[in-house]
């Protein structure tokens, strides 16, 4: 099928069901698992007899595995195809989740969660790299499906985990993830897995290492804002006396998902640096408006829409400017932002009170805009 042209003049393949099939299935699976550990904490406590202070370790093990995997995937993709990387990662993910369900002891369950996290990070890194090389529309659409899975995950836990809290309680939700891994594997075999497209020919940046570091800074700021809003919105709105803080936070995540769908549908012809700069400007205004109690709920929801295009668009931009094989590096940078920003915002909150939350988010938005302009400056210098 004929393609469409991106702002850079590089033809991009027309999006189709078969092209997006494996990404949609796999990212839905990842979204379900990502949001499953928290709602399943009571099931883990009942099954293994661990305390509230200890149960969170299993989620930490999962996230640690998912953070370790991307650089390993970046090395592996030099020697294997994306299809092989996705297949092996899905297998590791399924085995890890199955181990969590059948583990005879808490320590084994935690180890299996780490192994499942490695598979999770492998699938994410492989497919993000592949779809980023296809274009901003494709990578935004498959990441939007991740959000759909995350929204449905608590319903899956409550609907299938309602046993006595013993082995059967964990089996329903987590075996659902195993089944979804199998579906994703079959879909990839039937419709194929997109490979990493070659970067367009032409002069690259004079200092590719500097450009890669600037991209990493941009992604750190983005993930820091996403994690910061997710971690502190409810507490901040409660401090302001705004009712329905939990509902507003849910609306933020829904807006993030809807925004990625809209980006995937309409943003394919827009220059990536313009998209990210506009988003950064909107996020500055949202953070400023969030300081006003009457405006805070709307500002939080609009921030979800403004954040939505940034991640996928930046991955596609990196693929065009440098190489899609650097996408795993950006995922590691994102993990740094996700770890550091909520903790830093918490420290600011403790020192200066609730207004420090939107102020910190505003600083991150400004920095994201600065990194974007610096990346564009290096690109134009080439």
């Amino acid at each position: 099928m004929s393609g469409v042209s991106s702002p850079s003049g590089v033809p991009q393949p027309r999006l189709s069901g078969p092209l997006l099939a494996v990404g949609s299935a796999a990212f839905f699976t990842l979204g379900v698992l990502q949001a499953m550990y928290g709602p399943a904490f009571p099931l883990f406590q009942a099954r293994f007899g661990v305390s509230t202070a200890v149960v969170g370790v299993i989620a930490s093990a999962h996230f640690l595995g998912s953070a370790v995997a991307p650089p390993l995937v970046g090395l592996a993709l030099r020697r294997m195809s994306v299809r092989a990387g996705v297949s092996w990662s899905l297998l590791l993910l399924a085995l890890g989740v199955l181990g969590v369900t059948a583990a005879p002891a808490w320590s084994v369950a935690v180890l299996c969660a780490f192994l499942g996290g490695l598979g999770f990070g492998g699938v994410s890194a492989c497919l993000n790299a592949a779809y980023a090389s296809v274009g901003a529309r494709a990578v935004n659409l498959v990441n939007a499906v991740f959000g759909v899975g995350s929204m449905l995950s608590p319903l899956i836990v409550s609907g299938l985990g309602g046993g006595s809290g013993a082995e059967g309680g964990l089996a329903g939700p987590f075996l659902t993830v195993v089944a979804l891994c199998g579906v994703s594997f079959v879909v990839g075999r039937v419709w194929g897995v997109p490979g990493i497209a070659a970067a367009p020919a032409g002069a690259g940046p004079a200092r590719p290492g500097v450009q890669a570091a600037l991209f990493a800074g941009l992604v750190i700021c983005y993930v820091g804002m996403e994690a910061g809003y997710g971690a502190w919105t409810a507490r901040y709105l409660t401090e302001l006396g705004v009712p329905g803080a939990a509902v507003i936070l849910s609306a933020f995540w829904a807006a993030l998902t809807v925004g990625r769908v809209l980006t995937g549908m309409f943003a394919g012809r827009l220059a990536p640096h313009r998209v990210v700069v506009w988003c950064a400007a909107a996020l500055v205004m949202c953070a400023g408006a969030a300081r006003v109690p009457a405006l805070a709920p709307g500002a939080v929801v609009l921030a979800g829409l403004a954040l939505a295009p940034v991640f996928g668009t930046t991955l596609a931009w990196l693929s065009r400017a440098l190489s899609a094989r650097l996408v795993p590096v950006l995922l590691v940078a994102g993990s740094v932002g996700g770890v550091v920003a909520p903790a830093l915002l918490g420290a600011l909150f403790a020192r200066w009170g609730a207004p420090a939350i939107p102020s910190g988010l505003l600083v991150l938005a400004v920095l994201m805009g600065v990194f974007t302009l610096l990346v564009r400056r290096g690109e134009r210098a080439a």
Side-chain angles (χ1 to χ4, degrees):
M1 300 177 70
S2 60
V4 296
S5 294
S6 70
S8 61
V10 179
Q12 297 181 345
R14 191 177 301 277
L15 300 187
S16 64
L19 176 66
L20 298 175
V22 68
S24 299
F27 275 96
F28 180 81
T29 303
L30 299 186
V32 170
L33 180 59
Q34 180 87 328
M36 184 168 284
Y37 278 101
F41 280 171
L43 302 178
F44 284 113
Q45 289 182 265
R47 166 76 186 280
F48 296 104
V50 295
S51 67
T52 302
V54 172
V55 70
V57 171
I58 197 163
S60 299
H62 164 79
F63 283 106
L64 177 61
S66 66
V68 169
L72 301 178
V73 168
L75 295 174
L77 288 178
R78 299 176 182 272
R79 298 180 178 272
M80 68 170 61
S81 66
V82 175
R83 179 174 178 173
V86 171
S87 297
W88 284 108
S89 296
L90 281 172
L91 177 61
L92 182 58
L93 174 58
L95 291 175
V97 174
L98 186 62
V100 168
T101 304
W106 175 244
S107 58
V108 178
V110 171
L111 176 60
C112 289
F114 173 78
L115 294 176
L118 285 174
F120 180 105
V123 174
S124 175
C126 287
L127 289 180
N128 269 312
Y131 282 106
S133 71
V134 172
R137 296 176 63 208
V139 73
N140 274 293
L141 284 172
V142 295
N143 274 281
V145 180
F146 179 97
V148 175
S150 296
M151 287 190 289
L152 292 178
S153 183
L155 301 178
I156 294 173
V157 174
S158 62
L160 300 179
S164 63
E167 192 167 342
L170 283 174
F174 284 89
L175 289 180
T176 298
V177 175
V178 175
L180 289 172
C181 288
V183 170
S184 301
F185 180 84
V186 171
V187 169
R189 290 291 170 176
V190 173
W191 283 290
V193 179
I196 297 178
R207 295 183 294 176
V210 173
Q211 285 291 89
L214 293 174
F215 272 114
L218 194 167
V219 170
I220 287 172
C221 293
Y222 161 76
V223 177
M225 279 186 286
E226 181 182 306
Y229 274 104
W232 287 102
T233 287
R235 175 68 184 277
Y236 172 69
L237 293 176
T238 301
E239 290 286 326
L240 291 186
V242 176
V247 175
I248 295 167
L249 178 58
S250 296
F252 165 82
W253 291 116
L256 188 71
T257 300
V258 171
R260 283 177 173 168
V261 173
L262 294 175
T263 304
M265 294 172 61
F266 301 113
R269 296 182 182 274
L270 299 177
H273 70 279
R274 295 185 185 277
V275 173
V276 180
V277 165
W278 291 342
C279 289
L283 287 163
V284 169
M285 291 187 289
C286 288
R291 297 177 64 90
V292 182
L295 301 178
V300 168
V301 176
L302 289 176
L305 282 174
L307 281 167
V310 176
F311 182 69
T313 301
T314 302
L315 296 188
W317 187 10
L318 172 80
S319 301
R320 191 195 74 191
L322 295 173
S323 169
R325 298 186 184 278
L326 291 175
V327 165
V329 177
L330 256 64
L331 298 181
V332 175
S335 298
V336 173
V339 171
V340 173
L344 181 59
L345 289 172
L348 294 174
F349 186 109
R351 178 67 177 83
W352 284 291
I357 299 298
S359 297
L361 293 169
L362 188 149
V363 170
L364 286 173
V366 170
L367 288 174
M368 189 179 80
V370 170
F371 280 122
T372 303
L373 294 175
L374 290 174
V375 170
R376 177 56 179 165
R377 179 182 177 184
E379 191 176 44
R380 294 185 65 176

